[in-house]
Amino acid sequence: MSRIRHFVTCLFHGLAVAAVTTIGLTAAPPAAAQSSNSIDSVEGLPTFVMPPSGPFSPNEITIPNARAIAAWVRSGHSDASSEAFTHWDEEGSIPPVCATCHSGAGFRAFHGLDGSAPGLPEQPVPTGGVVDCETCHNRNLGAVEQITLSSGVDHPVIVGEAACVTCHQGRAAGSSVTKAVDELPEDSPNEDLGFVNPHYALAAASSLGGYGGLGYQYPGKTYTGRFLHAKPVSTCLSCHDPHSLEVTQDTCLMCHQTGDPAEIRISRQSYDGSGNTSKGIRSDIEANSELLMSLISDYAAEVAGTPIVYDGGHYPYFFADANGDGLADERDGSRIKYASWTPRLLKAAYNWKFVNADHGIHVHNPHYALELIYDSAEDLAGQLDTDFASLNLLR
């Protein structure tokens, strides 16, 4: 018996204690109490009627959707123990600006799906919520026809992508970097500058490319727009199972020889100077990204005057490394955040983080990623003793 089938069977029997605790189910009420809700068993499985509580709006979800619920349970959207949903536990509530995506209740408030006026929740939202069924299955979500991106672009959406674009566009844009650096001298450290964080899981942002403007786009350069892919691939749900979030590899196999996105290459030229076009395009992005980080380190030490180190496990990620040992400097037990930002360095670091914050960018918009990395690397190399042309990178 497969794990999923075993889970569903246990769910209906009320025996999977951990799973029941996770999704808020209780034992089925007596037969007399459930007569109005009784539904025939599905493919031989006994029925289990959910109580009128929890995040599922059980009066709207029928028993045959048990498999969808089981798929959701193993997704990141349901993981109530993850950092995405526990970050504010000590405070006891989630700030309105964060609750929009880190709580189903906050999402509904933001779009006015709970009867309130659309906009950020008026009050912090209690912790404990996840991306529940009502986040994506609310009957009023179809009324959301456009999402305003962090760049200010009003992007039209259909109901199948409204939730995805709302929460996977990040919280900053190239315009945020432009505003931060204003007209400051490009290579002069400024203590008033701080790292601009594009946020996390930026699939919607990267897929929109230059049209969305969510990466820092250098003046005078042109950028690939929305990655429309092939015709059958038009929204997030074209590739991702809506509940488990897993990639449906059969979609890839309609056009590609492999269903593994990491092995797919959509270009016959090498972008990383290796000349190897037999590997997936992700390898080119990773190689150029490593080069950019190396240039960021060289520039920080040689031009900004303070070595820098990246630590992805601690915000704000970039820290001072005065002794050059590859570890963040500390003071009183706390890491010393990098404080020698120049406008040129900030632009490159933002783009590096933008590209690496979307672990599927090689599928969502590989050309946009390569363009952002190339332009950032070229800009830094111009201030270093680096022969950029000899690297044989392609844009």
Side-chain angles (χ1 to χ4, degrees):
M1 181 180 292
S2 69
R3 291 180 61 190
I4 297 176
R5 186 176 181 84
H6 176 69
F7 170 81
V8 174
T9 301
C10 293
L11 173 64
F12 281 110
H13 281 297
L15 298 178
V17 178
V20 169
T21 301
T22 300
I23 62 180
L25 298 181
T26 61
Q34 59 173 301
S35 59
S36 62
N37 292 324
S38 294
I39 299 175
D40 292 336
S41 62
V42 181
E43 295 182 11
L45 295 177
T47 58
F48 186 97
V49 178
M50 290 181 289
S53 63
F56 302 107
S57 295
N59 60 310
E60 298 179 12
I61 297 179
T62 58
I63 295 305
N65 283 329
R67 286 184 174 79
I69 294 173
W72 170 83
V73 163
R74 67 172 184 264
S75 78
H77 281 170
S78 77
D79 188 358
S81 65
S82 71
E83 174 69 12
F85 303 119
T86 61
H87 183 80
W88 303 270
D89 280 1
E90 290 187 6
E91 291 80 1
S93 61
I94 309 173
V97 70
C98 302
T100 297
C101 297
H102 294 275
S103 164
F107 178 89
R108 291 186 283 279
F110 179 74
H111 284 300
L113 306 179
D114 59 357
S116 64
L120 291 176
E122 294 185 359
Q123 301 294 330
V125 175
T127 58
V130 294
V131 179
D132 53 40
C133 298
E134 270 292 279
T135 304
C136 301
H137 290 283
N138 188 285
R139 63 182 65 192
N140 297 317
L141 189 59
V144 179
E145 298 181 341
Q146 70 176 26
I147 303 295
T148 300
L149 306 176
S150 300
S151 61
V153 172
D154 291 327
H155 175 60
V157 295
I158 59 176
V159 65
E161 61 180 354
C164 307
V165 176
T166 297
C167 294
H168 289 282
Q169 58 156 301
R171 290 184 54 194
S175 58
S176 306
V177 178
T178 299
K179 181 179 179 180
V181 302
D182 196 20
E183 296 182 357
L184 298 172
E186 281 286 276
D187 300 301
S188 297
N190 191 306
E191 61 182 11
D192 293 329
L193 288 179
F195 179 60
V196 178
N197 184 29
H199 214 54
Y200 319 100
L202 306 175
S206 58
S207 69
L208 296 177
Y211 151 73
L214 293 158
Y216 177 77
Q217 297 171 184
Y218 289 83
K221 300 283 190 175
T222 58
Y223 292 87
T224 297
R226 184 175 186 178
F227 189 39
L228 298 176
H229 222 106
K231 190 173 183 179
V233 180
S234 57
T235 69
C236 307
L237 301 185
S238 299
C239 298
H240 291 274
D241 181 282
H243 299 106
S244 70
L245 309 181
E246 295 172 354
V247 174
T248 307
Q249 294 195 6
D250 286 348
T251 303
C252 306
L253 290 170
M254 289 191 299
C255 299
H256 301 286
Q257 294 180 331
T258 175
D260 182 357
E263 299 299 323
I264 292 174
R265 185 173 195 87
I266 59 171
S267 177
R268 296 182 178 180
Q269 61 183 14
S270 169
Y271 290 89
D272 62 2
S274 69
N276 184 355
T277 57
S278 64
K279 56 187 180 180
I281 196 70
R282 185 177 75 170
S283 295
D284 293 47
I285 296 173
E286 290 177 343
N288 288 2
S289 180
E290 290 178 8
L291 171 65
L292 176 56
M293 177 54 78
S294 176
L295 291 171
I296 287 172
S297 297
D298 291 344
Y299 177 96
E302 298 176 24
V303 180
T306 303
I308 194 171
V309 65
Y310 176 79
D311 181 351
H314 297 86
Y315 182 84
Y317 311 119
F318 289 95
F319 300 94
D321 179 23
N323 60 7
D325 65 353
L327 301 174
D329 296 337
E330 294 189 4
R331 180 185 297 119
D332 299 327
S334 298
R335 293 170 177 79
I336 301 175
K337 67 179 182 180
Y338 196 76
S340 298
W341 292 105
T342 72
R344 194 184 308 276
L345 181 60
L346 182 58
K347 295 170 187 177
Y350 175 87
N351 276 348
W352 183 91
K353 184 67 163 58
F354 177 91
V355 169
N356 285 275
D358 177 9
H359 299 305
I361 200 166
H362 55 286
V363 174
H364 301 140
N365 207 327
H367 294 117
Y368 188 55
L370 289 163
E371 290 162 357
L372 292 176
I373 294 174
Y374 182 100
D375 293 344
S376 301
E378 182 182 45
D379 193 46
L380 292 181
Q383 305 303 309
L384 298 167
D385 187 19
T386 300
D387 183 359
F388 188 72
S390 67
L391 299 176
N392 295 320
L393 305 187
L394 292 181
R395 185 179 186 276

